[in-house]
Amino acid sequence: MRAVPGDIVGQMLGQTGSDRSAEAALRGFFGLDRPLWRQFLDWLWATLHGDLGRSWYRGSAVAGMVWDAFLVTAELALATLLLATLIGVPLGVLAGIVRGSRLDAAIQGVNLVGLSAPVFWLGLMLLVGASQLLDWSPPFAWSGPTEDFGENLANLVLPVVSLAMLQAAAYSQFVRGLMVEQLGRDYIRAARAKGMPPFDIYFRHALANVMIPLVTFMGLILVQILGGVVVIESLFSLPGLGRLILTGIQGRDYPVVQGALFFVVVIATTVNLGVDLLYGLLDPRLKP
Amino acid sequence: MTEFDIPRRAALALVLAGISAPHLAEAQQASIDPLLYGPTDPNAKRGGKLTIGSLVEPPALDPFRQAADARVRVSVLMYQGLFYEDPTGVARPLLAEGATPGADGKSWTFRLRRGVKFHTGAAMTSADVKYSYDFMRNAANGSPGAGDLSSVASIEAPDDHTVVFHLVRPNAALPMTLTNKYGAVVPKGFLDDAQSGPRMNEISVGTGPFKLRQFRPNSTLVLERFADYWQPGLPYLDEVTFVTMPNSAAMVVGLQSRRVDLAMFSRPQDTQALANAPGVEVHRWPSLGQKSLDLDCKFGPLTDVRVRQAIALAIDKKVVMDAAVVGYGTVIGTMVAGMQQGWGVPLDQLANQKPDLDRARALLRAAGHANGVDIELTTIIGYDWMEPAALTIAEQLKRVDIRVTIRKLELGVWIRNFRAKEMGFTFNDWGTTPDPGLLYYRHFRAAPEGADFRNWNNARASALLDRGQETADPAQRRESYAAFQQLLAEEVPTIMLFSADLLTANRTRLKNYVQHGTGWYFGLAKAWVEG
């Protein structure tokens, strides 16, 4: 980002400031007059001591800003994951069970649409559709769940649906593939030969064996949602991590961008670690 | 109520100094001017909340160190200067009650309004005024407005209700300079703290009709009525919430679904969906802004004035305006539309305004470009009007063998290039406080007094701008600025294309909202809601 021309001083002074001393004063205030390596080392040292610094525009602690934004993004991501799972997994299981049927083709067709529709387009269509058909729109002014739960839900419903459509389609396709694979295995044939009821075959045996790759996939999806919410957050004015980073980059607010990206890396690592630990719970053979 | 309060002796001194009565009227109004912040509605009722959808959010609220227009739009409701920039070009006394220029034009005495309180509860005195403007004019404090006050040598506060600005050279535009774009009057000592700028994102310490309740990044800015505000009965609204909207479609949807009461649009096309929306009305307002093409006079072929003139002669501004904003604007010559009547030279009296392709080709040949010219035109990402305008201009210039390549720049990069005087051939989009000195001086006066962003470095232009600033007589000022405009049109360091109308849409329950030509939200001080 430092390689991109322009900095916060230029943005603050805009098309004004013929006096170069104003520029120099601001550059000194933000520490931009120091060598780049020195700025980085200072930031690293402070970060290692738990201090992510302060936003150059807002003056607020970056840690607090990142945490507030993360809560918004986390709520969005978890609600999306939940909705996508509730839609995608049953559809995938069903498609796997009825493989080759018209229902399977229909589900795959819907999945194709879900995977092909760009999130920003879907979001915009839902926004305009809700306005035209229901005379309703989200409030746009953000309220946290503890401030006003109704407004919070109203703000989240369209972005969650927009994101979940894509993820549910991905889930459905993935689970279908896993189910088809499991249902072709010898142990399933043996269970059928024994006269085991279909419900037990599908849900006690096949689905249980689908769980490990599914959890891995969920972890990947969660990280993907966290990394990709910038579009949907911008589209629906949600003050989450994606928008925080985006506006930080646009305004050249380096402490905010560095702090937020650092946090995202920590979260992505934590989610992956969590997924690894879940393996042990789901399959005791993987316990160390 | 007396409309004008001009002490006889001062009036005599001013008449002797050659300052005419109309000019005095601009700066000498006493008492509370009924036209401050727009017209007053006798039917206005107090109370109610308003939600405003906005595509831009202020990066910060510090009026001393933050130049962004998105900041000015809202901070004018919390912070005030000594004067109010009436869109007609009159500086109306705001925190000042009246002003008296010295006989030699090198000082201004301002009588301050009594009974003004800060949002902190403290009463405003001359010490606060001196402190605030001293801070602002000190470039070491990083204020973008410091350059506007370069004519100020010192500020004196002889008593609690008087301040005297001593100048190094006469400055007829001083009252208009002490308006509300940069800086404000804040309590003495507040800015001493290095963190005072960021603190202004949490509390407001101005004297304006609204005070800050909450500023939430990337989401909302909430202002509430300041109960101790000095204009009796104002403001009418209890609370104003600015919601950062993602795009124009969301603003349209918000207005239709009654989530949003007022929104400003940058593209006329976006308001078409609201033309027949029940309970919504769309308004067009004259603008003090301009959409222009800037030509760096030290950039490649543009160093030759004949090439710059050829470009001007190949452009049909009306066609460009129609493409960019579907005709919702006014073609301009060398003055923004809102000030054309008072200060602008008629377009038919300016050089290089009408397309003349033969002359353009002849100029290019004379400049040694018989085979045409290749040039890059930069646009700014996010400024929607620039895309169609760039394509139209590229087509128009092709007719005289000027081959244009369009390059899009991110705003931060564009600002860097502009400030470094490396703009090349680029679009620009900027507004002004309604005074020709404030419009031209910093942009076109040669360094070091001006920034001369376009590397024009024209001594005659600088002399005319100096004279316009230093002359108190309105007729002489007009003459200087008219001569400057002739030169600007002749030498083409910029091509002012058009002033796009400001477009607002509001729910009909909002009453008496008048949009200021700058695009700032002054009108909310006198707006009210029904029901």
PDB file of all heavy atoms in Angstrom, chain B residues 100-121:
ATOM      1  N   THR B 100     -15.747  46.773  10.168  1.00  0.00           N
ATOM      2  CA  THR B 100     -15.336  48.085   9.689  1.00  0.00           C
ATOM      3  C   THR B 100     -13.927  47.987   9.135  1.00  0.00           C
ATOM      4  O   THR B 100     -12.986  47.711   9.887  1.00  0.00           O
ATOM      5  CB  THR B 100     -15.330  49.103  10.851  1.00  0.00           C
ATOM      6  OG1 THR B 100     -16.566  49.005  11.541  1.00  0.00           O
ATOM      7  CG2 THR B 100     -15.146  50.513  10.336  1.00  0.00           C
ATOM      8  N   PRO B 101     -13.743  48.186   7.825  1.00  0.00           N
ATOM      9  CA  PRO B 101     -12.374  48.189   7.299  1.00  0.00           C
ATOM     10  C   PRO B 101     -11.658  49.475   7.682  1.00  0.00           C
ATOM     11  O   PRO B 101     -12.291  50.531   7.780  1.00  0.00           O
ATOM     12  CB  PRO B 101     -12.592  48.096   5.784  1.00  0.00           C
ATOM     13  CG  PRO B 101     -13.994  48.485   5.524  1.00  0.00           C
ATOM     14  CD  PRO B 101     -14.768  48.380   6.784  1.00  0.00           C
ATOM     15  N   GLY B 102     -10.357  49.378   7.919  1.00  0.00           N
ATOM     16  CA  GLY B 102      -9.564  50.569   8.232  1.00  0.00           C
ATOM     17  C   GLY B 102      -9.459  51.469   7.018  1.00  0.00           C
ATOM     18  O   GLY B 102      -9.671  51.039   5.878  1.00  0.00           O
ATOM     19  N   ALA B 103      -9.098  52.741   7.262  1.00  0.00           N
ATOM     20  CA  ALA B 103      -9.055  53.719   6.181  1.00  0.00           C
ATOM     21  C   ALA B 103      -8.065  53.322   5.086  1.00  0.00           C
ATOM     22  O   ALA B 103      -8.310  53.551   3.903  1.00  0.00           O
ATOM     23  CB  ALA B 103      -8.698  55.081   6.752  1.00  0.00           C
ATOM     24  N   ASP B 104      -6.948  52.692   5.476  1.00  0.00           N
ATOM     25  CA  ASP B 104      -5.960  52.293   4.468  1.00  0.00           C
ATOM     26  C   ASP B 104      -6.219  50.889   3.930  1.00  0.00           C
ATOM     27  O   ASP B 104      -5.434  50.364   3.139  1.00  0.00           O
ATOM     28  CB  ASP B 104      -4.544  52.380   5.069  1.00  0.00           C
ATOM     29  CG  ASP B 104      -4.389  51.466   6.267  1.00  0.00           C
ATOM     30  OD1 ASP B 104      -5.395  50.835   6.683  1.00  0.00           O
ATOM     31  OD2 ASP B 104      -3.266  51.374   6.807  1.00  0.00           O
ATOM     32  N   GLY B 105      -7.294  50.277   4.373  1.00  0.00           N
ATOM     33  CA  GLY B 105      -7.646  48.938   3.902  1.00  0.00           C
ATOM     34  C   GLY B 105      -6.774  47.853   4.511  1.00  0.00           C
ATOM     35  O   GLY B 105      -6.947  46.676   4.194  1.00  0.00           O
ATOM     36  N   LYS B 106      -5.848  48.239   5.409  1.00  0.00           N
ATOM     37  CA  LYS B 106      -4.931  47.235   5.956  1.00  0.00           C
ATOM     38  C   LYS B 106      -5.314  46.783   7.363  1.00  0.00           C
ATOM     39  O   LYS B 106      -4.482  46.240   8.103  1.00  0.00           O
ATOM     40  CB  LYS B 106      -3.490  47.755   5.909  1.00  0.00           C
ATOM     41  CG  LYS B 106      -2.988  47.830   4.457  1.00  0.00           C
ATOM     42  CD  LYS B 106      -1.620  48.418   4.329  1.00  0.00           C
ATOM     43  CE  LYS B 106      -0.523  47.486   4.715  1.00  0.00           C
ATOM     44  NZ  LYS B 106       0.804  48.053   4.414  1.00  0.00           N
ATOM     45  N   SER B 107      -6.554  47.025   7.714  1.00  0.00           N
ATOM     46  CA  SER B 107      -7.062  46.435   8.958  1.00  0.00           C
ATOM     47  C   SER B 107      -8.574  46.292   8.852  1.00  0.00           C
ATOM     48  O   SER B 107      -9.222  47.004   8.074  1.00  0.00           O
ATOM     49  CB  SER B 107      -6.694  47.307  10.167  1.00  0.00           C
ATOM     50  OG  SER B 107      -7.446  48.499  10.153  1.00  0.00           O
ATOM     51  N   TRP B 108      -9.092  45.354   9.602  1.00  0.00           N
ATOM     52  CA  TRP B 108     -10.546  45.173   9.696  1.00  0.00           C
ATOM     53  C   TRP B 108     -10.890  45.036  11.179  1.00  0.00           C
ATOM     54  O   TRP B 108     -10.253  44.263  11.895  1.00  0.00           O
ATOM     55  CB  TRP B 108     -11.002  43.909   8.987  1.00  0.00           C
ATOM     56  CG  TRP B 108     -11.134  44.008   7.494  1.00  0.00           C
ATOM     57  CD1 TRP B 108     -10.138  43.846   6.585  1.00  0.00           C
ATOM     58  CD2 TRP B 108     -12.320  44.270   6.742  1.00  0.00           C
ATOM     59  NE1 TRP B 108     -10.622  43.985   5.311  1.00  0.00           N
ATOM     60  CE2 TRP B 108     -11.976  44.246   5.373  1.00  0.00           C
ATOM     61  CE3 TRP B 108     -13.652  44.523   7.081  1.00  0.00           C
ATOM     62  CZ2 TRP B 108     -12.900  44.455   4.355  1.00  0.00           C
ATOM     63  CZ3 TRP B 108     -14.579  44.730   6.061  1.00  0.00           C
ATOM     64  CH2 TRP B 108     -14.194  44.703   4.707  1.00  0.00           C
ATOM     65  N   THR B 109     -11.898  45.797  11.615  1.00  0.00           N
ATOM     66  CA  THR B 109     -12.354  45.671  12.993  1.00  0.00           C
ATOM     67  C   THR B 109     -13.708  44.964  12.976  1.00  0.00           C
ATOM     68  O   THR B 109     -14.618  45.383  12.256  1.00  0.00           O
ATOM     69  CB  THR B 109     -12.499  47.065  13.635  1.00  0.00           C
ATOM     70  OG1 THR B 109     -11.223  47.712  13.588  1.00  0.00           O
ATOM     71  CG2 THR B 109     -12.949  46.960  15.086  1.00  0.00           C
ATOM     72  N   PHE B 110     -13.787  43.900  13.749  1.00  0.00           N
ATOM     73  CA  PHE B 110     -15.037  43.130  13.806  1.00  0.00           C
ATOM     74  C   PHE B 110     -15.653  43.242  15.190  1.00  0.00           C
ATOM     75  O   PHE B 110     -14.981  42.953  16.201  1.00  0.00           O
ATOM     76  CB  PHE B 110     -14.767  41.650  13.501  1.00  0.00           C
ATOM     77  CG  PHE B 110     -14.178  41.424  12.131  1.00  0.00           C
ATOM     78  CD1 PHE B 110     -12.848  41.035  11.990  1.00  0.00           C
ATOM     79  CD2 PHE B 110     -14.944  41.612  10.993  1.00  0.00           C
ATOM     80  CE1 PHE B 110     -12.295  40.834  10.734  1.00  0.00           C
ATOM     81  CE2 PHE B 110     -14.394  41.401   9.729  1.00  0.00           C
ATOM     82  CZ  PHE B 110     -13.066  41.018   9.597  1.00  0.00           C
ATOM     83  N   ARG B 111     -16.900  43.685  15.242  1.00  0.00           N
ATOM     84  CA  ARG B 111     -17.635  43.673  16.507  1.00  0.00           C
ATOM     85  C   ARG B 111     -18.284  42.296  16.638  1.00  0.00           C
ATOM     86  O   ARG B 111     -18.918  41.811  15.685  1.00  0.00           O
ATOM     87  CB  ARG B 111     -18.714  44.755  16.516  1.00  0.00           C
ATOM     88  CG  ARG B 111     -18.152  46.165  16.450  1.00  0.00           C
ATOM     89  CD  ARG B 111     -19.260  47.193  16.577  1.00  0.00           C
ATOM     90  NE  ARG B 111     -20.395  46.938  15.693  1.00  0.00           N
ATOM     91  CZ  ARG B 111     -20.386  47.170  14.373  1.00  0.00           C
ATOM     92  NH1 ARG B 111     -19.280  47.627  13.786  1.00  0.00           N
ATOM     93  NH2 ARG B 111     -21.456  46.957  13.650  1.00  0.00           N
ATOM     94  N   LEU B 112     -18.114  41.687  17.776  1.00  0.00           N
ATOM     95  CA  LEU B 112     -18.597  40.310  17.932  1.00  0.00           C
ATOM     96  C   LEU B 112     -20.002  40.267  18.516  1.00  0.00           C
ATOM     97  O   LEU B 112     -20.398  41.127  19.308  1.00  0.00           O
ATOM     98  CB  LEU B 112     -17.648  39.522  18.841  1.00  0.00           C
ATOM     99  CG  LEU B 112     -16.204  39.432  18.364  1.00  0.00           C
ATOM    100  CD1 LEU B 112     -15.373  38.630  19.362  1.00  0.00           C
ATOM    101  CD2 LEU B 112     -16.130  38.776  16.987  1.00  0.00           C
ATOM    102  N   ARG B 113     -20.722  39.248  18.123  1.00  0.00           N
ATOM    103  CA  ARG B 113     -22.086  39.058  18.624  1.00  0.00           C
ATOM    104  C   ARG B 113     -22.030  38.690  20.105  1.00  0.00           C
ATOM    105  O   ARG B 113     -21.169  37.920  20.527  1.00  0.00           O
ATOM    106  CB  ARG B 113     -22.739  37.931  17.819  1.00  0.00           C
ATOM    107  CG  ARG B 113     -24.224  37.842  17.949  1.00  0.00           C
ATOM    108  CD  ARG B 113     -24.779  36.825  16.973  1.00  0.00           C
ATOM    109  NE  ARG B 113     -24.557  37.194  15.573  1.00  0.00           N
ATOM    110  CZ  ARG B 113     -25.259  38.107  14.915  1.00  0.00           C
ATOM    111  NH1 ARG B 113     -26.197  38.784  15.532  1.00  0.00           N
ATOM    112  NH2 ARG B 113     -25.007  38.358  13.650  1.00  0.00           N
ATOM    113  N   ARG B 114     -22.935  39.235  20.866  1.00  0.00           N
ATOM    114  CA  ARG B 114     -22.982  38.910  22.295  1.00  0.00           C
ATOM    115  C   ARG B 114     -23.964  37.772  22.538  1.00  0.00           C
ATOM    116  O   ARG B 114     -24.874  37.556  21.750  1.00  0.00           O
ATOM    117  CB  ARG B 114     -23.399  40.145  23.098  1.00  0.00           C
ATOM    118  CG  ARG B 114     -22.320  41.210  23.059  1.00  0.00           C
ATOM    119  CD  ARG B 114     -22.827  42.550  23.523  1.00  0.00           C
ATOM    120  NE  ARG B 114     -21.866  43.589  23.164  1.00  0.00           N
ATOM    121  CZ  ARG B 114     -21.143  44.273  24.043  1.00  0.00           C
ATOM    122  NH1 ARG B 114     -21.275  44.048  25.330  1.00  0.00           N
ATOM    123  NH2 ARG B 114     -20.283  45.183  23.629  1.00  0.00           N
ATOM    124  N   GLY B 115     -23.742  37.084  23.621  1.00  0.00           N
ATOM    125  CA  GLY B 115     -24.676  36.007  23.995  1.00  0.00           C
ATOM    126  C   GLY B 115     -24.448  34.713  23.239  1.00  0.00           C
ATOM    127  O   GLY B 115     -25.312  33.838  23.240  1.00  0.00           O
ATOM    128  N   VAL B 116     -23.282  34.583  22.599  1.00  0.00           N
ATOM    129  CA  VAL B 116     -22.985  33.339  21.872  1.00  0.00           C
ATOM    130  C   VAL B 116     -22.310  32.348  22.819  1.00  0.00           C
ATOM    131  O   VAL B 116     -21.377  32.714  23.543  1.00  0.00           O
ATOM    132  CB  VAL B 116     -22.061  33.613  20.666  1.00  0.00           C
ATOM    133  CG1 VAL B 116     -21.654  32.304  19.992  1.00  0.00           C
ATOM    134  CG2 VAL B 116     -22.743  34.534  19.677  1.00  0.00           C
ATOM    135  N   LYS B 117     -22.803  31.138  22.820  1.00  0.00           N
ATOM    136  CA  LYS B 117     -22.194  30.111  23.677  1.00  0.00           C
ATOM    137  C   LYS B 117     -21.617  28.977  22.837  1.00  0.00           C
ATOM    138  O   LYS B 117     -22.160  28.629  21.783  1.00  0.00           O
ATOM    139  CB  LYS B 117     -23.238  29.543  24.630  1.00  0.00           C
ATOM    140  CG  LYS B 117     -23.533  30.440  25.819  1.00  0.00           C
ATOM    141  CD  LYS B 117     -24.424  29.717  26.805  1.00  0.00           C
ATOM    142  CE  LYS B 117     -24.633  30.594  28.030  1.00  0.00           C
ATOM    143  NZ  LYS B 117     -25.606  29.994  28.946  1.00  0.00           N
ATOM    144  N   PHE B 118     -20.552  28.409  23.354  1.00  0.00           N
ATOM    145  CA  PHE B 118     -19.994  27.199  22.740  1.00  0.00           C
ATOM    146  C   PHE B 118     -20.810  25.990  23.199  1.00  0.00           C
ATOM    147  O   PHE B 118     -21.523  26.066  24.215  1.00  0.00           O
ATOM    148  CB  PHE B 118     -18.541  27.008  23.172  1.00  0.00           C
ATOM    149  CG  PHE B 118     -17.605  28.025  22.596  1.00  0.00           C
ATOM    150  CD1 PHE B 118     -17.015  28.988  23.414  1.00  0.00           C
ATOM    151  CD2 PHE B 118     -17.307  28.034  21.245  1.00  0.00           C
ATOM    152  CE1 PHE B 118     -16.144  29.926  22.888  1.00  0.00           C
ATOM    153  CE2 PHE B 118     -16.432  28.968  20.713  1.00  0.00           C
ATOM    154  CZ  PHE B 118     -15.854  29.923  21.536  1.00  0.00           C
ATOM    155  N   HIS B 119     -20.644  24.888  22.504  1.00  0.00           N
ATOM    156  CA  HIS B 119     -21.312  23.653  22.919  1.00  0.00           C
ATOM    157  C   HIS B 119     -20.827  23.201  24.296  1.00  0.00           C
ATOM    158  O   HIS B 119     -21.468  22.383  24.942  1.00  0.00           O
ATOM    159  CB  HIS B 119     -21.067  22.541  21.893  1.00  0.00           C
ATOM    160  CG  HIS B 119     -21.635  22.855  20.538  1.00  0.00           C
ATOM    161  ND1 HIS B 119     -21.339  22.140  19.414  1.00  0.00           N
ATOM    162  CD2 HIS B 119     -22.489  23.839  20.127  1.00  0.00           C
ATOM    163  CE1 HIS B 119     -21.980  22.647  18.368  1.00  0.00           C
ATOM    164  NE2 HIS B 119     -22.684  23.684  18.790  1.00  0.00           N
ATOM    165  N   THR B 120     -19.693  23.727  24.705  1.00  0.00           N
ATOM    166  CA  THR B 120     -19.176  23.391  26.040  1.00  0.00           C
ATOM    167  C   THR B 120     -19.918  24.159  27.125  1.00  0.00           C
ATOM    168  O   THR B 120     -19.758  23.876  28.306  1.00  0.00           O
ATOM    169  CB  THR B 120     -17.687  23.766  26.129  1.00  0.00           C
ATOM    170  OG1 THR B 120     -17.570  25.177  25.837  1.00  0.00           O
ATOM    171  CG2 THR B 120     -16.842  22.985  25.146  1.00  0.00           C
ATOM    172  N   GLY B 121     -20.681  25.166  26.755  1.00  0.00           N
ATOM    173  CA  GLY B 121     -21.413  25.982  27.731  1.00  0.00           C
ATOM    174  C   GLY B 121     -20.748  27.320  28.007  1.00  0.00           C
ATOM    175  O   GLY B 121     -21.361  28.221  28.577  1.00  0.00           O
TER     176      GLY B 121
END
